Amino acid sequence: MKNLFTRSKLNPILRPQNSEWWKIYNPGAALDNQGHVHLFPRVMKQEKDWHSRIAHAVSDDGERFVWDKELVLVREGKDETRGLEDPRVTLIDGAYYMTFAAYDGRQVMLHSATAKDLNGPWRRQGPMAPDFDFFTSGGRMVRWEQGKPVEQTTQKRSYHWSKSGGLFPGRVDGRYTMLFGEFYIWLASSSDGARYEVEPAPLLRPRKGAANFDNTFIEMGPPPILTEKGWLVLYHGIDEAFRYQLGFAMLDESNPRKVLYRSDEPIFAPREEYELGDALIDVIDGGITAMSKLNDEELKVFYKKIRAENVMPQVTFCPAAVLKDGNLWIYYGAGDTSVCAAWAPLEEILKLVG
């Protein structure tokens, strides 16, 4: 792995200790006109009726954050029974767009909201691709069974599973454009910035082979960033050891359907104790419902069991990246419990493209 990033010495920069939250993780991020970093983390309480909300915190230096007293978005309607997950934020034509996954307990569906200012208010736009069908669009899901990944390629009925939407910070051929997806990554576009048409086949797929860091499934990272070499697209590669590692692709500036480069190795991966520790991971069988009922001693036994079965993911999940003074800052969820920061010179990443 290319060791390009420097982790903040203040990591985790947002953590649940001494707060009302059980989990603070997977933030969206954007810079305002004064260079302040705005984070929009997903937050959860340890409660029977568990669900995610989206909060807001602001920083002058990108590492020390002050919380907004009010939540940005809370659940509304049956699509959001289990809340709103993993936002991304993009500035397009003077307006901010936030994508997030609405989760009803069975399916996830990308929604969006817009605001003229990062301090809000945010106006909801509803589902982004309501007619998207995961399996007929070429998708394949993966579940871990007895410590090994197993693919699921069909579903008896129509199945919607859209999440992790990264909007391009500018129109492509006059249209709003987005990369999105878990397991595979699709390209979609829109005339109005609200409803999107999904292209019929995935743009990026997992790459088979034991040597590949993205051999099991992939998931979109933060919104694409325009560079001198094209659109920089960070994405998560998940391997057979259930590690979430960050790689990247470079897309053609005028035609993002054209993949110019894709990294052979990850450029960021779980390493520190706060990224590998006793994380309360939503994707474990039984999920939040089961774990929220366990006391501290029972959780320790639970963790030991799932580690032995190789079903405890190692997670650095990055929905957020901002460019500041030539450095690419990433903000990521560590172990599904806290928010961390790291940075790397953008030029060092671009050198890998050649």
Side-chain angles (χ1 to χ4, degrees):
M1 184 184 79
K2 304 295 183 182
N3 187 20
L4 302 179
F5 284 86
T6 300
R7 287 168 167 82
S8 170
K9 294 180 180 179
L10 301 181
N11 279 346
I13 58 171
L14 295 177
R15 63 185 78 193
Q17 286 84 355
N18 302 318
S19 78
E20 63 182 303
W21 305 115
W22 183 36
K23 295 153 67 77
I24 302 171
Y25 60 125
N26 298 4
L31 291 176
D32 65 20
N33 292 333
Q34 289 75 45
H36 301 141
V37 179
H38 292 248
L39 287 187
F40 298 88
R42 172 184 175 185
V43 295
M44 293 180 66
K45 293 182 178 180
Q46 190 170 10
E47 56 193 345
K48 183 177 181 180
D49 180 26
W50 61 266
H51 59 282
S52 300
R53 301 89 159 163
I54 296 175
H56 180 216
V58 185
S59 173
D60 293 335
D61 62 8
E63 296 180 90
R64 298 167 181 85
F65 283 82
V66 177
W67 285 99
D68 192 330
K69 294 180 180 179
E70 302 294 330
L71 292 170
V72 172
L73 291 173
V74 297
R75 64 179 178 180
E76 293 181 3
K78 63 179 183 180
D79 285 349
E80 300 174 3
T81 302
R82 292 303 186 193
L84 306 84
E85 302 180 353
D86 306 346
R88 276 85 166 160
V89 180
T90 310
L91 177 64
I92 307 173
D93 296 341
Y96 294 97
Y97 288 76
M98 179 187 294
T99 67
F100 57 90
Y103 184 39
D104 66 3
R106 176 180 175 267
Q107 299 181 131
V108 289
M109 181 180 294
L110 268 176
H111 284 227
S112 68
T114 65
K116 294 181 180 179
D117 188 283
L118 287 169
N119 294 307
W122 291 85
R123 180 180 61 85
R124 292 170 179 265
Q125 297 194 118
M128 300 183 73
D131 298 326
F132 175 72
D133 185 282
F134 179 85
F135 289 107
T136 59
S137 298
R140 295 177 178 225
M141 289 188 168
V142 176
R143 288 184 60 86
W144 258 255
E145 297 180 4
Q146 297 180 340
K148 296 181 180 180
V150 177
E151 280 192 349
Q152 179 184 354
T153 60
T154 59
Q155 183 81 3
K156 291 182 179 179
R157 55 180 174 172
S158 177
Y159 193 72
H160 190 108
W161 193 270
S162 63
K163 62 184 301 189
S164 299
L167 292 167
F168 286 71
R171 304 195 195 201
V172 178
D173 293 331
R175 293 175 65 84
Y176 297 87
T177 306
M178 172 177 67
L179 291 168
F180 77 95
E182 179 186 30
F183 303 108
Y184 288 65
I185 295 175
W186 285 265
L187 188 70
S189 64
S190 169
S191 60
D192 62 4
R195 299 293 179 268
Y196 283 73
E197 300 170 14
V198 181
E199 302 215 345
L203 179 70
L204 297 175
R205 304 169 184 264
R207 295 179 290 190
K208 300 300 181 183
N212 290 320
F213 73 95
D214 51 5
N215 60 19
T216 300
F217 67 92
I218 59 176
E219 185 166 356
M220 183 59 186
I225 295 171
L226 185 60
T227 74
E228 63 190 55
K229 295 191 176 183
W231 292 106
L232 173 64
V233 177
L234 302 177
Y235 72 92
H236 304 93
I238 294 83
D239 62 14
E240 294 176 349
F242 219 166
R243 288 176 296 192
Y244 279 68
Q245 302 176 95
L246 200 63
F248 75 97
M250 194 67 69
L251 309 184
D252 185 80
E253 179 179 352
S254 59
N255 180 15
R257 298 168 186 84
K258 184 177 180 181
V259 181
L260 303 176
Y261 176 86
R262 189 168 171 182
S263 60
D264 293 326
E265 297 180 289
I267 57 173
F268 192 76
R271 185 189 71 191
E272 302 299 323
E273 181 60 31
Y274 52 77
E275 299 161 353
L276 303 171
D278 290 342
L280 304 177
I281 305 296
D282 301 6
V283 297
I284 295 171
D285 191 27
I288 300 298
T289 300
M291 288 184 287
S292 63
K293 300 176 182 178
L294 303 179
N295 61 38
D296 289 345
E297 290 304 314
E298 290 170 332
L299 280 170
K300 290 178 181 178
V301 174
F302 178 77
Y303 293 138
K304 184 176 180 180
K305 177 177 181 294
I306 60 178
R307 284 198 191 94
E309 294 173 352
N310 195 33
V311 294
M312 170 66 90
Q314 302 170 44
V315 181
T316 48
F317 190 83
C318 177
V322 298
L323 271 178
K324 198 170 183 179
D325 300 326
N327 288 320
L328 181 68
W329 284 71
I330 59 172
Y331 294 93
Y332 60 97
D336 273 16
T337 57
S338 60
V339 173
C340 296
W343 64 90
L346 177 62
E347 64 179 1
E348 294 301 314
I349 297 173
L350 297 182
K351 284 179 182 179
L352 300 177
V353 180

